[in-house]
Amino acid sequence: MKTGFRILEHPADVGIEATGQTLREAFENAAHGLIWLIAGDETSEPTEERYIKLTGKDEENLLVKWLSEILFLFDAEDFLTSEVTVERITPTQLEAFVFGETFDPTKHETRLDIKAITYHQLAIERREDGCTVRVFVDI
């Protein structure tokens, strides 16, 4: 398992708790947690890139939209993300690049069928030593 996130067990859902020294790192690690839930330790090659620009009403909404976009890329475009780079983040805007490749069932496996990113127990916590985000996904 990659560092920067941990999976939270829940009776009906699965959670991701991601940390970073900055909000940017915490958002990146949350994306890695989501990718791990989708495909486990399977790695895709970063042969393609997508640019993502999002606007939210606040940081929590932005986190849900960010992870929902990565899930959308997988569900709608068969794009399996392997790497993410958040270029810019404010309380209401995010710009990022995601890298990966087209999902190939002969090459990649999936772990969980994630239906949606939820607002259930959604939290963003800032401390002197960094930032933690917590989000649950509907499976």
Side-chain angles (χ1 to χ4, degrees):
M1 184 187 300
K2 297 181 181 188
T3 59
F5 69 89
R6 70 184 181 110
I7 303 304
L8 306 172
E9 298 300 325
H10 186 276
D13 302 319
V14 176
I16 302 164
E17 184 175 86
T19 59
Q21 290 186 337
T22 64
L23 184 64
R24 176 184 300 183
E25 285 181 15
F27 269 53
E28 288 175 346
N29 287 331
H32 286 294
L34 177 63
I35 295 160
W36 188 84
L37 286 174
I38 292 170
D41 291 326
E42 291 290 321
T43 56
S44 64
E45 297 296 322
T47 57
E48 300 174 41
E49 77 176 67
R50 303 282 195 280
Y51 172 71
I52 297 173
K53 183 175 184 177
L54 301 169
T55 302
K57 63 181 180 175
D58 54 29
E59 292 173 341
E60 289 82 4
N61 179 246
L62 199 60
L63 177 60
V64 170
K65 285 186 169 188
W66 163 237
L67 297 177
S68 295
E69 186 67 20
I70 292 169
L71 181 60
F72 172 81
L73 288 172
F74 181 72
D75 285 342
E77 298 183 14
D78 289 330
F79 184 79
L80 181 57
T81 300
S82 61
E83 299 174 19
V84 298
T85 302
V86 175
E87 294 288 325
R88 187 173 85 82
I89 189 167
T90 70
T92 59
Q93 293 185 327
L94 176 142
E95 292 181 55
F97 287 95
V98 297
F99 305 88
E101 67 181 330
T102 301
F103 178 78
D104 178 352
T106 64
K107 180 180 176 182
H108 306 111
E109 293 182 21
T110 57
R111 292 188 74 240
L112 293 176
D113 182 19
I114 298 172
K115 297 175 189 167
I117 312 302
T118 73
Y119 286 88
H120 176 68
Q121 297 184 11
L122 180 67
I124 297 178
E125 301 169 11
R126 287 188 172 74
R127 300 172 317 282
E128 286 185 25
D129 64 338
C131 184
T132 299
V133 299
R134 190 174 309 108
V135 62
F136 283 82
V137 300
D138 184 20
I139 55 174

